[in-house]
Amino acid sequence: MNLDTFFRADRIAVIGASREEGKVGNVVFKNFLEGFDKEVFPVNPNADEVLGYKCYKSVRDIPGKPELAIICIPAKFVPGAVIECGKKGIRHVIIISAGFKEVGNDRLEKDLFNALKKYDIKCIGPNCLGVYASRGHIDTLFLPKNRLKRPKAGVISFVSQSGASGSAILDLAAEEGFGFAKFISYGNAINVDESDLIEYLGNDADTKVICLYVEGVKDGRKFLETCKKVAAKKPVIAIKGGITDAGKKAALSHTGSLAGSAEVYFGAFKQAGVTIAHTLEEVFDYMKVFEKVQVRPKGRKIQVITNGGGFGILCSDAVAGLGLEMSEMSSAVKNSLKKKLPSIAAVGNPVDLLGDATTERYRLALDACIKDKNVDVIVAVVLSQTPLIEKEIITDVLEEFNNRKKKPIVTVTTGSEFSEKLKQEIEDSGLPCFRFPFNAVRAVKAYLEYYKKI
Amino acid sequence: MNLDTFFRADRIAVIGASREEGKVGNVVFKNFLEGFDKEVFPVNPNADEVLGYKCYKSVRDIPGKPELAIICIPAKFVPGAVIECGKKGIRHVIIISAGFKEVGNDRLEKDLFNALKKYDIKCIGPNCLGVYASRGHIDTLFLPKNRLKRPKAGVISFVSQSGASGSAILDLAAEEGFGFAKFISYGNAINVDESDLIEYLGNDADTKVICLYVEGVKDGRKFLETCKKVAAKKPVIAIKGGITDAGKKAALSHTGSLAGSAEVYFGAFKQAGVTIAHTLEEVFDYMKVFEKVQVRPKGRKIQVITNGGGFGILCSDAVAGLGLEMSEMSSAVKNSLKKKLPSIAAVGNPVDLLGDATTERYRLALDACIKDKNVDVIVAVVLSQTPLIEKEIITDVLEEFNNRKKKPIVTVTTGSEFSEKLKQEIEDSGLPCFRFPFNAVRAVKAYLEYYKKI
């Protein structure tokens, strides 16, 4: 299903555009005005103009043909508005309005379905936040920007069954510096469902990583087959809401989803090569490693480098505890490195560069790890409380070795402002940086497992 | 063992105080000058004054008797300096200097041990960061304040075998707004070991929560008995480095610790009522819940309140997945609440107050949960992307109900600046606030398990 128009349309009708501050139709219309390259047409039978734009009584009065209509009017008027869209030749609508089958209005949803079908209209929604497309400047999220930060343009696309959860995730992702291609809250999925969206994103050149929050799916077989096909091409990270009886009960009263057996889902995800996240934090950790790391791992042997002994130990415990392998550098490389480091530095796994570690020591250690055939992945801890850690560690060492694209490099730093700034700079330079050893290693595991499967 | 002097001394000698910017003896001396209420005496045979203070060739030249000496001179001079301290009548020293048995200088460590013994001197160190005591204004952490933020005064005390890990933890704790009573990096533990420190903190009125990072302990029986005694009085959270073979190997080359069998440690911790953290993140999560929550739980039944359906589901999954119990409010309370909320709000567990939830709806829900006998603990999700969440939700509802001290209340919020500010304000008002549902529920579990045991 080609869904490009939802994310790239240039001529857009906003049905229900409003002059009233804070109303959904007001926020949505304003969002489009802030996008610089759209022709937007407010539609509202009760206004002559909205925010300085000529307002139309019906989409049919708009000169020429809009490609996409955003609908934010009371539910009972939606089927009528869709018929108008159909007559006008609009074939894509995003329906924000709620009040359909999710509140028991099955009849109204059926009417809507028929109207869409009659005119062959593709619909995202109803009962959703709709779409945020960073590059296409489509933004139907009706939550104010001071509450919900929009992420910068990037390679992650997120499909969420839950509006509020989705928006909290998007907001945090923006804060944490993730780059998004597309975000879609699809609500009742009347004729475009999660599988259609995943399939579309699988073919979307802007999307490198796909994330899902699902409670229940409409068509299990279609979903599994789609995931399988797409996960063979790019990483798909999924978190499932309603994996326990308590969660299932909650899901039923939330989106009316039959959440299904967790075992069936996890089995299907596994079979399809989907990366399973058990918590939201895992979603974020996995997004980070899949977004940043550009090189396919050659094997599963992990080398730890550190300037804090305790953190080296915690990394080692995580590697072994998660069933991964610690590398064992060759004697030749180790001996050569040993000669160049202070005598009390530990040259094993971890390599401990000590509390007075300098940029130069990190360079020597990384160089050895990159050279050594026994090392597949590098986890570099950089604790910045010690005084000799300078910014050059990023530009002169981490970034440089990362740009060679020889082996995946993942970093860890922990602390306050100074560390947070370092972390941001490491990530801006293209490497994933985690706050805690365990999270870094767990993300590495997810990365390795994905590439083992494809 | 009474260790008060280490944390409260008013007359302090800094042996090795230096004029040279960046040197350990310079940083340590300066830190004391910034504390406003100490008499500090720099000792350095090669200087007449340090930073405007008259400098002494030896501690013996200092007028009157200092209570505590901080020693930061090359290792080989340390035993001599300790003898001088002994002759002066000083009975407490903190030795920052490294270069003893941790680098194979067993002989020098033995000399030091004997000198300490001869004069009955208690010693923290050598080879450590020493002590940070927020109320006593003792700060021997020689890492600059722009790299290592110091936490505000509070009720958490932290004992760390690892200097760098400890400092990274302290730094992050400061950033995250935790309040600390005391932090001790004890290094080689020459005659004051982890057990002595834990026992002391167990009797310390300023300390409400004790955290440990250990790799290996000197005397297992003493450690177990101390933990048992102390954990019966206040929560003790422990993270153990070196729980796998890979981690043990790393620990051996770090602090020379024989890390011992993880099973033995975990078994002992469990038996002693110590809260086991498997990752640094768990340490932070558990610190938060033990620091903030002021009320003992009556039972294990958890009620979730939310304004985001998906987050309610994820909370429910966490509760059930972690083996906790979802509460079932009585029909009377439920019916009464149902009448006051919009018809499509879900009144079960979770209570879903919907995307347009107001402060008033949270008040109604919390009031019902506080009243209902079937609810023991409340997890309140407050997603702030939705526009009707106002600051009053903290002052008028969360804080108010929390101050009644009827039931533990734990909160969750997720997002960018606006949420982070809300989170900070919720925590300032005295409630723990977590970023992700799972972390909140896992911390609640640790809390319940601790109180189940004592």
Side-chain angles (χ1 to χ4, degrees):
Chain A
M1 201 186 277
N2 189 338
L3 305 173
D4 274 342
T5 304
F6 284 116
F7 305 99
R8 287 192 202 155
D10 288 321
R11 305 192 87 232
I12 294 161
V14 178
I15 300 174
S18 167
R19 285 172 295 195
E20 206 177 309
E21 197 74 30
K23 280 197 80 169
V24 173
N26 176 272
V27 177
V28 170
F29 187 65
K30 265 199 214 150
N31 284 343
F32 278 106
L33 299 185
E34 287 174 23
F36 48 86
D37 57 354
K38 303 286 171 194
E39 262 189 283
V40 221
F41 307 96
V43 177
N44 183 337
N46 306 316
D48 292 327
E49 60 88 28
V50 175
L51 301 170
Y53 280 68
K54 178 179 163 39
C55 187
Y56 301 87
K57 304 276 176 229
S58 155
V59 280
R60 299 182 73 183
D61 304 331
I62 295 171
K65 197 175 75 178
E67 298 157 87
L68 173 67
I70 319 296
I71 302 181
C72 25
I73 53 179
K76 61 180 169 182
F77 301 122
V78 171
V82 164
I83 291 169
E84 297 277 288
C85 286
K87 288 182 179 162
K88 183 72 179 179
I90 297 172
R91 295 293 170 256
H92 294 82
V93 299
I94 296 173
I95 304 176
I96 310 297
S97 321
F100 294 87
K101 83 168 181 210
E102 81 282 3
V103 294
N105 268 340
D106 291 29
R107 176 65 183 275
L108 194 62
E109 182 129 344
K110 187 77 191 143
D111 290 348
L112 174 58
F113 181 84
N114 290 335
L116 292 164
K117 191 167 180 192
K118 182 169 179 193
Y119 293 99
D120 192 25
I121 297 174
K122 292 188 188 105
C123 171
I124 291 179
N127 180 34
C128 69
L129 291 176
V131 166
Y132 169 73
S134 58
R135 290 186 190 77
H137 300 106
I138 306 277
D139 181 349
T140 71
L141 312 179
F142 56 84
L143 300 168
K145 288 185 184 166
N146 66 336
R147 291 291 178 102
L148 174 60
K149 217 167 147 180
R150 270 62 165 178
K152 66 185 181 205
V155 298
I156 298 166
S157 286
F158 205 110
V159 176
S160 177
Q161 186 164 7
S162 170
S165 300
S167 65
I169 290 166
L170 194 68
D171 192 28
L172 181 58
E175 177 73 11
E176 297 277 300
F178 287 94
F180 268 55
K182 295 165 174 85
F183 168 87
I184 311 114
S185 147
Y186 59 89
N188 297 7
I190 194 162
N191 70 17
V192 173
D193 68 16
E194 57 287 326
S195 302
D196 300 321
L197 290 162
I198 295 164
E199 178 162 31
Y200 169 74
L201 294 172
N203 295 318
D204 176 31
D206 291 340
T207 298
K208 198 190 132 193
V209 182
I210 300 170
C211 297
L212 310 174
Y213 170 80
V214 280
E215 289 167 12
V217 299
K218 291 192 145 180
D219 179 341
R221 183 168 301 273
K222 180 181 171 192
F223 182 67
L224 174 59
E225 274 162 19
T226 307
C227 285
K228 207 168 190 168
K229 200 162 60 181
V230 173
K233 287 190 283 189
K234 51 183 88 171
V236 178
I237 302 162
I239 178 164
K240 167 80 175 69
I243 56 167
T244 62
D245 287 343
K248 273 178 217 164
K249 211 171 118 193
L252 194 60
S253 79
H254 178 224
T255 47
S257 290
L258 288 166
S261 149
E263 291 69 38
V264 169
Y265 271 95
F266 288 158
F269 282 150
K270 223 166 169 177
Q271 199 189 324
V274 167
T275 300
I276 300 169
H278 297 91
T279 64
L280 281 183
E281 185 182 54
E282 285 181 38
V283 173
F284 277 86
D285 287 348
Y286 299 167
M287 282 201 303
K288 183 177 288 193
V289 75
F290 284 117
E291 179 194 20
K292 300 276 187 197
V293 180
Q294 305 282 343
V295 45
R296 210 182 157 109
K298 291 212 177 80
R300 296 168 63 80
K301 295 188 296 295
I302 294 163
Q303 173 68 40
V304 178
I305 301 172
T306 186
N307 62 339
F311 270 61
I313 295 167
L314 295 175
C315 279
S316 307
D317 278 338
V319 168
L322 289 165
L324 298 173
E325 239 178 280
M326 293 288 276
S327 65
E328 176 75 45
M329 283 199 274
S330 68
S331 316
V333 173
K334 263 205 260 188
N335 288 338
S336 154
L337 179 59
K338 214 172 173 58
K339 276 182 210 147
K340 294 172 196 154
L341 292 177
S343 63
I344 60 165
V347 181
N349 196 358
V351 170
D352 187 350
L353 301 173
L354 306 175
D356 58 347
T358 56
T359 298
E360 185 53 24
R361 280 190 213 161
Y362 275 94
R363 183 204 304 280
L364 292 166
L366 273 158
D367 189 52
C369 296
I370 292 284
K371 270 183 200 151
D372 198 303
K373 272 189 203 156
N374 300 319
V375 173
D376 297 317
V377 179
I378 300 161
V379 175
V381 176
V382 184
L383 294 180
S384 69
Q385 287 76 30
T386 61
L388 300 181
I389 296 299
E390 299 292 348
K391 215 192 136 173
E392 287 67 36
I393 200 168
I394 304 165
T395 47
D396 293 4
V397 179
L398 294 173
E399 189 174 7
E400 200 189 303
F401 280 103
N402 194 46
N403 284 345
R404 293 193 203 164
K405 299 195 179 173
K406 295 281 187 198
K407 295 174 184 177
I409 305 175
V410 167
T411 65
V412 178
T413 198
T414 303
S416 64
E417 287 138 73
F418 190 88
S419 287
E420 282 298 306
K421 203 164 160 277
L422 190 78
K423 181 166 172 282
Q424 199 48 62
E425 285 167 0
I426 291 175
E427 297 207 325
D428 289 347
S429 86
L431 293 100
C433 187
F434 293 86
R435 197 180 238 191
F436 296 118
F438 182 79
N439 298 57
V441 176
R442 186 176 58 183
V444 164
K445 182 178 179 176
Y447 195 75
L448 291 174
E449 303 228 313
Y450 175 70
Y451 282 103
K452 199 170 74 175
K453 276 181 207 139
I454 66 163
Chain B
M1 201 186 277
N2 188 337
L3 304 174
D4 273 344
T5 305
F6 284 116
F7 306 99
R8 286 193 202 155
D10 287 322
R11 306 192 86 232
I12 294 161
V14 178
I15 300 175
S18 167
R19 287 173 294 196
E20 207 177 309
E21 197 73 33
K23 279 196 81 170
V24 172
N26 177 272
V27 178
V28 170
F29 187 65
K30 265 197 215 153
N31 284 344
F32 278 105
L33 299 185
E34 286 175 25
F36 48 87
D37 57 353
K38 304 287 171 193
E39 262 188 284
V40 221
F41 307 96
V43 178
N44 184 337
N46 306 316
D48 293 326
E49 60 88 28
V50 175
L51 301 170
Y53 281 69
K54 178 179 161 42
C55 186
Y56 301 88
K57 304 276 178 231
S58 155
V59 279
R60 299 182 72 183
D61 305 332
I62 295 171
K65 196 175 75 178
E67 300 157 85
L68 173 66
I70 319 297
I71 302 180
C72 26
I73 54 180
K76 61 179 171 183
F77 301 123
V78 171
V82 164
I83 290 168
E84 297 276 288
C85 287
K87 288 182 178 160
K88 182 72 180 177
I90 297 172
R91 294 293 170 259
H92 295 82
V93 299
I94 297 173
I95 304 177
I96 310 297
S97 320
F100 296 87
K101 83 166 183 209
E102 82 281 2
V103 295
N105 269 341
D106 291 28
R107 177 65 185 271
L108 194 63
E109 182 129 345
K110 186 78 189 144
D111 291 347
L112 175 57
F113 180 84
N114 290 336
L116 292 164
K117 191 168 180 189
K118 182 170 178 192
Y119 293 98
D120 192 25
I121 297 174
K122 292 187 189 106
C123 171
I124 290 179
N127 180 32
C128 69
L129 290 177
V131 166
Y132 169 75
S134 58
R135 289 185 191 78
H137 299 108
I138 307 277
D139 181 350
T140 72
L141 312 179
F142 55 83
L143 300 168
K145 288 186 183 165
N146 67 333
R147 290 291 178 102
L148 173 60
K149 217 168 148 180
R150 270 62 165 178
K152 65 185 182 207
V155 297
I156 298 167
S157 285
F158 205 110
V159 176
S160 176
Q161 185 164 9
S162 170
S165 301
S167 64
I169 290 166
L170 195 68
D171 191 30
L172 181 58
E175 177 74 12
E176 296 279 299
F178 287 94
F180 267 55
K182 295 165 173 86
F183 168 86
I184 311 114
S185 146
Y186 59 90
N188 297 8
I190 193 162
N191 71 18
V192 173
D193 67 14
E194 57 287 328
S195 302
D196 301 321
L197 291 163
I198 295 165
E199 179 162 29
Y200 169 74
L201 294 172
N203 295 318
D204 176 31
D206 291 340
T207 299
K208 200 189 132 194
V209 183
I210 300 170
C211 298
L212 311 173
Y213 170 80
V214 281
E215 288 167 13
V217 298
K218 289 192 147 181
D219 180 341
R221 184 169 299 274
K222 181 181 168 193
F223 182 67
L224 174 59
E225 274 163 19
T226 307
C227 285
K228 207 169 189 167
K229 201 162 59 183
V230 173
K233 289 190 283 190
K234 51 184 88 168
V236 177
I237 303 161
I239 177 165
K240 167 82 175 67
I243 55 167
T244 61
D245 286 343
K248 275 178 215 163
K249 211 171 118 192
L252 194 61
S253 79
H254 177 224
T255 49
S257 292
L258 288 166
S261 149
E263 291 68 38
V264 170
Y265 270 94
F266 288 157
F269 283 149
K270 224 166 170 178
Q271 199 188 324
V274 167
T275 300
I276 301 169
H278 296 92
T279 63
L280 282 183
E281 185 181 55
E282 284 181 39
V283 173
F284 277 86
D285 287 347
Y286 298 167
M287 284 201 303
K288 183 176 288 192
V289 76
F290 284 117
E291 179 194 20
K292 301 275 187 198
V293 179
Q294 306 282 343
V295 47
R296 210 183 157 108
K298 291 214 177 78
R300 295 168 62 80
K301 297 187 294 297
I302 294 163
Q303 174 68 41
V304 178
I305 300 171
T306 186
N307 63 337
F311 271 61
I313 296 167
L314 295 175
C315 280
S316 307
D317 279 338
V319 168
L322 289 165
L324 299 173
E325 238 177 281
M326 293 288 276
S327 65
E328 175 75 42
M329 282 198 274
S330 68
S331 315
V333 173
K334 263 204 262 189
N335 288 338
S336 154
L337 179 60
K338 215 171 171 58
K339 275 181 211 145
K340 294 172 195 154
L341 291 177
S343 63
I344 58 165
V347 181
N349 196 357
V351 171
D352 187 350
L353 301 173
L354 308 174
D356 59 346
T358 56
T359 299
E360 186 52 25
R361 279 190 213 162
Y362 274 94
R363 184 204 303 281
L364 293 165
L366 272 158
D367 189 52
C369 296
I370 291 285
K371 269 184 201 150
D372 198 302
K373 274 188 202 157
N374 300 319
V375 174
D376 297 315
V377 179
I378 299 160
V379 175
V381 175
V382 184
L383 294 180
S384 70
Q385 287 76 30
T386 60
L388 299 182
I389 296 299
E390 299 293 349
K391 213 192 138 173
E392 287 66 36
I393 200 167
I394 304 166
T395 47
D396 295 2
V397 179
L398 293 173
E399 190 174 8
E400 202 189 302
F401 280 104
N402 194 47
N403 284 345
R404 292 192 202 167
K405 299 195 179 172
K406 296 282 188 198
K407 293 174 186 177
I409 306 174
V410 166
T411 65
V412 177
T413 196
T414 303
S416 64
E417 287 137 74
F418 190 88
S419 287
E420 283 298 306
K421 205 163 158 277
L422 189 79
K423 180 166 174 279
Q424 197 49 62
E425 286 168 358
I426 291 175
E427 297 207 325
D428 289 347
S429 87
L431 293 100
C433 187
F434 293 86
R435 197 179 238 190
F436 295 118
F438 181 79
N439 298 56
V441 175
R442 185 176 58 182
V444 165
K445 182 180 181 176
Y447 195 75
L448 292 174
E449 303 227 313
Y450 175 69
Y451 283 103
K452 199 171 73 175
K453 276 181 208 140
I454 65 163

